[in-house]
Amino acid sequence: MATPVIMPRQGQSVESCILTEWKVNVGDQVAEGDVLAVIETDKASFDLESTASGSVLALFWEADDDVPVLANVAAIGNEGEDVEEFRPEGQGGASAPVAEAPTPAAADSVAQSTSPVATTVPAAAPAGGSLVASSGVSPRARRLALKHGIDPESLPGSGPEGRVIERDIEAVISGRPRLSATARARSLAEDLERPARGTGLAGMVRSQDLKVPGSVEGAEISPVKGIRKVIAERMIESLQTTAQLTLQASFELTKAQAYRKERLDAGQSKVSLNDVIAHGIIKTLAEHPEMNAHFLGDRIATFEKVHLGVAVDTPRGLLVPVISNASDLSIEQVSAEVKKLAGACREGTISPDNLSGGSFTLTNLGMLGVETFTPVLNAPEVAILGVGGIVLKPKRTESGEVEHVDTLPLSLTIDHQAVDGAPAARFLQSLVERLENTPGA
């Protein structure tokens, strides 16, 4: 009996996964544990492994589909076994055919034997394995269409009762360029666009002349999918549903750098400037709880503890793992958690549960040479802090002389629906004072 393969639950907070890529085709032989597909949650990527050995009988979803967890995604078994009982409601997908479909020639024969005017007859089965209905195509029209790589079933007919006849095919041919045999096969199989004139002899369109629909001359076109699609949707949603205001400040690095050196001299673990800032945010939020909140339209949820999100750049895109209950941790523990979560993000092993539930986010572009920028809110959070690169600034000493010191720019974006400018400015002021005077405390 065939065995279904289900979409696994990737963490308690995940309700669906994006099936980004199939690694197998219907008919392939697989063993238990073989990779069938690549799946993604909101931002993490995983391999979907087979839970049985045998032949791939059906793939119930297409690439880029958003598949509910615990739904059947494929069926594995012996050739010829029925898989319809496992097919999710409303899903087609690809299946191994259970019966041979009639050929185009056979369909024409049926059409001629029933009536001078073809009504509805079975046509050749498409890739999905099920039969589709034809509106009627004359034998001469079908032969001419197949010769020129045209799908006659997709054309409106000018014959009796809408039947597609030879002149309908000729009209299409007259408005289309000549295609090489390879180009004709590719254009039908991959649904590619044909240019008005190709690079072949007398303008013949060759395989390399075909284009992806919507392509732009001189540009490579790639679909927006997976993590990039999720990020795009969340960024535009953030800007459309929040009133974002950004405040700028900077703090002098003298004592923060001295604190880091003292730790090393005392044999303590190394902490980065980002760790010092993260710890400073956590401590300062205890004094300004209105910044540690979610705006929910008609409600504001203020958190008792800080759940700090830290943006991480990965090959798959921007991920924001969350340090839960960060307010209970020491600076050493915060530093260790940041390293652990960032590593899991870059390796693709981060749990989806670690990518949600943040109450405040920290993002740092300073290491990439960016001095200041405007971070976008990770809604429904009401605030996010951006950190830029080190900038040398003049400072007037108590004696009146001017000296240059290293400073670090900070950019605080708030949701003005939930937080006013003055409270946000006070939070930023408190954070600067802490980082300048008692870093790590």
Side-chain angles (χ1 to χ4, degrees), residues 243-246 291 377 382-384 412-416 419-421 424:
Q244 303 196 18
L245 170 69
T246 303
M291 307 295 293
L377 282 172
V382 303
I384 180 173
L412 177 69
T413 296
I414 62 168
D415 187 347
H416 215 321
V419 181
D420 290 333

Side-chain angles (χ1 to χ4, degrees), residues 32 51 82 108 150 229 256 268 277 297 325 363 397 424 437 441:
E32 185 175 350
T51 54
D82 185 21
D108 281 335
I150 298 170
K229 185 175 181 180
Q268 295 176 300
I277 296 169
N325 301 317
T363 178
T397 65
N437 298 307

Side-chain angles (χ1 to χ4, degrees), residues 348-412:
T349 59
I350 187 73
S351 167
D353 290 339
N354 292 130
L355 293 171
S356 61
S359 59
F360 188 103
T361 295
L362 167 64
T363 178
N364 191 334
L365 292 178
M367 70 288 292
L368 298 177
V370 175
E371 291 187 7
T372 59
F373 63 101
T374 303
V376 178
L377 282 172
N378 192 9
E381 296 172 18
V382 303
I384 180 173
L385 184 76
V387 181
I390 296 175
V391 177
L392 192 64
K393 282 188 175 183
K395 170 189 175 183
R396 190 177 298 280
T397 65
E398 294 181 359
S399 63
E401 296 180 356
V402 175
E403 64 179 13
H404 286 79
V405 296
D406 285 334
T407 62
L408 209 59
L410 303 175
S411 302
L412 177 69

Side-chain angles (χ1 to χ4, degrees), residues 91-120:
Q91 288 303 313
S95 301
V98 295
E100 185 176 353
T103 63
D108 281 335
S109 176
V110 173
Q112 293 178 45
S113 65
T114 54
S115 170
V117 178
T119 54
T120 300

Side-chain angles (χ1 to χ4, degrees), residues 254-271 276:
T254 304
K255 289 191 177 181
Q257 296 286 41
Y259 166 73
R260 296 177 63 218
K261 185 176 184 302
E262 288 169 4
R263 287 184 58 87
L264 291 178
D265 292 344
Q268 295 176 300
S269 60
K270 182 179 179 180
V271 295
V276 173

Side-chain angles (χ1 to χ4, degrees), residues 87-403:
R87 188 180 302 278
E89 184 177 351
Q91 288 303 313
S95 301
V98 295
E100 185 176 353
T103 63
D108 281 335
S109 176
V110 173
Q112 293 178 45
S113 65
T114 54
S115 170
V117 178
T119 54
T120 300
V121 297
S130 58
L131 297 178
V132 295
S134 168
S135 59
V137 182
S138 75
R140 293 180 63 179
R142 186 180 298 281
R143 283 193 293 271
L144 184 61
L146 293 177
K147 178 181 178 181
H148 291 274
I150 298 170
D151 179 9
E153 310 291 346
S154 65
L155 301 178
S158 61
E161 297 186 17
R163 191 184 194 198
V164 177
I165 57 180
E166 188 175 23
R167 71 184 180 200
D168 298 322
I169 307 300
E170 291 173 341
V172 174
I173 295 171
S174 64
R176 296 170 65 175
R178 291 192 305 128
L179 276 70
S180 69
T182 303
R184 183 180 302 114
R186 277 197 66 202
S187 67
L188 291 175
E190 303 176 31
D191 192 25
L192 299 175
E193 287 185 352
R194 311 164 186 187
R197 184 177 179 83
T199 58
L201 184 65
M204 177 180 286
V205 175
R206 300 188 297 173
S207 178
Q208 56 264 42
D209 298 327
L210 300 174
K211 299 179 180 179
V212 175
S215 60
V216 179
E217 191 69 31
E220 180 181 349
I221 303 298
S222 58
V224 178
K225 60 182 182 179
I227 291 175
R228 175 47 50 195
K229 185 175 181 180
V230 172
I231 292 174
E233 291 171 349
R234 289 193 170 183
M235 290 299 98
I236 196 65
E237 181 183 3
S238 173
L239 292 171
Q240 289 177 339
T241 60
T242 60
Q244 303 196 18
L245 170 69
T246 303
L247 309 180
Q248 308 280 354
S250 62
F251 75 95
E252 183 182 336
L253 283 172
T254 304
K255 289 191 177 181
Q257 296 286 41
Y259 166 73
R260 296 177 63 218
K261 185 176 184 302
E262 288 169 4
R263 287 184 58 87
L264 291 178
D265 292 344
Q268 295 176 300
S269 60
K270 182 179 179 180
V271 295
S272 67
L273 279 175
N274 204 57
D275 296 333
V276 173
I277 296 169
H279 183 71
I281 290 171
I282 294 166
K283 293 298 183 181
T284 307
L285 285 173
E287 304 166 3
H288 300 268
E290 69 278 5
M291 307 295 293
N292 188 42
H294 284 181
F295 180 71
L296 305 174
D298 58 350
R299 295 166 295 148
I300 296 177
T302 303
F303 292 87
E304 178 182 355
K305 294 187 177 182
V306 178
H307 309 292
L308 184 66
V310 181
V312 177
D313 179 35
T314 79
R316 296 179 178 86
L318 179 68
L319 304 184
V320 185
V322 175
I323 305 174
S324 299
N325 301 317
S327 43
D328 293 340
L329 306 180
S330 66
I331 188 170
E332 293 86 1
Q333 292 171 320
V334 168
S335 177
E337 280 295 300
V338 170
K339 290 182 178 66
K340 182 182 74 173
L341 293 173
C345 287
R346 295 187 180 103
E347 293 168 4
T349 59
I350 187 73
S351 167
D353 290 339
N354 292 130
L355 293 171
S356 61
S359 59
F360 188 103
T361 295
L362 167 64
T363 178
N364 191 334
L365 292 178
M367 70 288 292
L368 298 177
V370 175
E371 291 187 7
T372 59
F373 63 101
T374 303
V376 178
L377 282 172
N378 192 9
E381 296 172 18
V382 303
I384 180 173
L385 184 76
V387 181
I390 296 175
V391 177
L392 192 64
K393 282 188 175 183
K395 170 189 175 183
R396 190 177 298 280
T397 65
E398 294 181 359
S399 63
E401 296 180 356
V402 175
E403 64 179 13

